[in-house]
């Protein structure tokens, strides 16, 4: 008869890991609340919070992301990269003052609902699954649009952006449209005369040639575009 299994001592969890687990349980059980944001930002007056960083799971339905704008009415910058958000609609209709939004690597497929952010100026969506750009065509303030590593495969989707007179910078690198339709940089610039920068290269600049090595100190574009600023409140997914 086999003896009892040896007891393997477990290492104590670090205090910060314990805190993270507690915060996750709180977020799942209670969702976003005034108390949640006061605790994680260290600010009592939520109307003074202008920037925030969160990782959320809107797909499972356990976190009501539409509450963010309702509870933080002065929010200007919101970074939610590496979250799970299939559609911009999940962010609700209350982010009316938001100017910069990061959603890199967040499983985004649908841009519907972007008009609920009427003063948005910069939108970073690198490495998602966006294919349809039509929800953007009525947006009047967007200046920077990063779509690197998405699924845009039709030149007509790019033409939609003609209506966005405020658009100055566009990143379409690593989208299938370049190979599937043999698209050239000149075609895109001709279609979008308002652009000043395409794929991180000025309109009159020379794009890097295949085989050109980037400088050693250069930051990869997905990390650079997803860089956040301001005070962040963390909410583990």
């Amino acid at each position: 008869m086999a003896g009892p299994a040896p007891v393997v001592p477990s290492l104590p969890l670090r205090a910060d890991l314990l805190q993270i687990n507690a915060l996750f349980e709180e977020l799942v059980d209670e969702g976003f609340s005034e108390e949640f944001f006061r605790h994680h930002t260290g600010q009592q007056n939520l109307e003074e919070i202008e920037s925030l960083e969160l990782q959320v799971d809107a797909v499972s339905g356990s976190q009501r992301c539409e509450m963010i704008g309702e509870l933080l009415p002065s929010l200007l910058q919101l970074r939610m990269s590496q979250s799970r958000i299939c559609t911009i609609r999940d962010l609700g209709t209350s982010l009316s003052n938001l100017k910069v939004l990061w959603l890199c690597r967040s499983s985004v497929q649908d841009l519907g609902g972007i008009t609920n952010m009427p003063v948005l100026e910069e939108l970073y969506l690198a490495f998602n699954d966006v294919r349809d750009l039509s929800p953007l065509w009525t947006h009047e303030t967007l200046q920077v649009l990063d779509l690197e590593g998405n699924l845009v495969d039709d030149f007509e989707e790019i033409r939609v952006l003609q209506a966005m007179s405020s658009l100055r910078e566009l990143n379409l690198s690593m989208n299938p449209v370049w190979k599937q339709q043999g698209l050239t940089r000149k075609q895109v610039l001709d279609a979008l005369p308002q652009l000043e920068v395409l794929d991180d290269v000025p309109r009159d600049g020379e794009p890097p040639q295949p085989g050109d090595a980037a400088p050693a100190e250069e930051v990869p574009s997905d990390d650079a575009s997803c860089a956040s600023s301001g005070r962040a409140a963390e909410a583990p997914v």
Side-chain angles (χ1 to χ4, degrees):
M1 179 175 179
V7 177
V8 180
S10 59
L11 294 176
L13 290 174
R14 289 171 47 191
D16 56 347
L17 293 180
L18 286 172
Q19 182 181 25
I20 287 175
N21 288 337
L23 299 183
F24 174 68
E25 292 174 0
E26 173 189 348
L27 188 57
V28 171
D29 293 341
E30 302 179 7
F32 294 116
S33 65
E34 293 182 359
E35 291 74 18
F36 174 86
F37 286 118
R38 287 193 180 103
H39 178 73
H40 293 299
T41 63
Q43 297 190 43
Q44 291 301 307
N45 188 352
L46 299 184
E47 293 185 0
E48 295 180 352
I49 298 175
E50 296 185 349
S51 63
L52 184 70
E53 180 174 354
L54 291 170
Q55 289 182 341
V56 302
D57 181 2
V59 176
S60 67
S62 62
Q63 298 169 0
R64 295 182 56 197
C65 297
E66 69 271 18
M67 296 297 295
I68 297 174
E70 296 177 14
L71 297 173
L72 307 177
S74 301
L75 203 61
L76 301 178
Q77 299 185 8
L78 176 59
R79 182 180 182 184
M80 305 181 78
S81 294
Q82 300 186 50
S83 293
R84 296 183 65 206
I85 301 176
C86 288
T87 173
I88 301 294
R89 289 190 182 89
D90 288 339
L91 301 182
T93 61
S94 301
L95 292 169
S96 57
N97 293 314
L98 195 69
K99 292 190 174 182
V100 187
L101 175 62
W102 290 268
L103 280 172
C104 307
R105 301 183 187 275
S106 295
S107 305
V108 179
Q109 300 176 10
D110 179 18
L111 299 182
I114 195 68
T115 53
N116 292 320
M117 304 172 191
V119 298
L120 191 69
E121 297 178 354
E122 300 181 24
L123 178 58
Y124 298 98
L125 291 168
F127 302 100
N128 281 289
D129 300 316
V130 175
R131 189 186 305 268
D132 179 12
L133 304 184
S134 61
L136 294 170
W137 79 276
T138 57
H139 207 287
E140 298 180 350
T141 62
L142 199 62
Q143 300 176 23
V144 178
L145 178 59
D146 184 1
L147 291 168
E148 178 180 3
N150 276 267
L151 300 178
V152 180
D153 58 3
D154 190 338
F155 186 37
E156 292 306 311
E157 295 299 327
I158 299 174
R159 290 183 186 275
V160 166
L161 306 180
Q162 289 176 341
M164 300 172 60
S165 60
S166 60
L167 190 63
R168 296 291 177 265
E169 297 186 25
L170 174 65
N171 193 335
L172 283 172
S173 59
M174 297 177 63
N175 276 266
V177 66
W178 294 106
K179 291 184 177 180
Q180 292 183 12
Q181 298 197 348
L183 193 64
T184 66
R185 174 180 170 87
K186 183 179 184 302
Q187 286 176 296
V188 175
L189 291 173
D190 287 345
L192 305 176
Q194 73 273 39
L195 281 189
E196 297 176 0
V197 178
L198 175 61
D199 294 348
D200 298 323
V201 179
R203 170 175 284 271
D204 298 329
E206 289 294 331
Q209 300 301 314
D212 287 352
E217 70 276 11
E218 184 175 333
V219 179
S221 58
D222 58 313
D223 293 331
S225 64
C226 295
S228 66
S229 61
R231 183 168 185 156
E234 298 178 358
V237 177

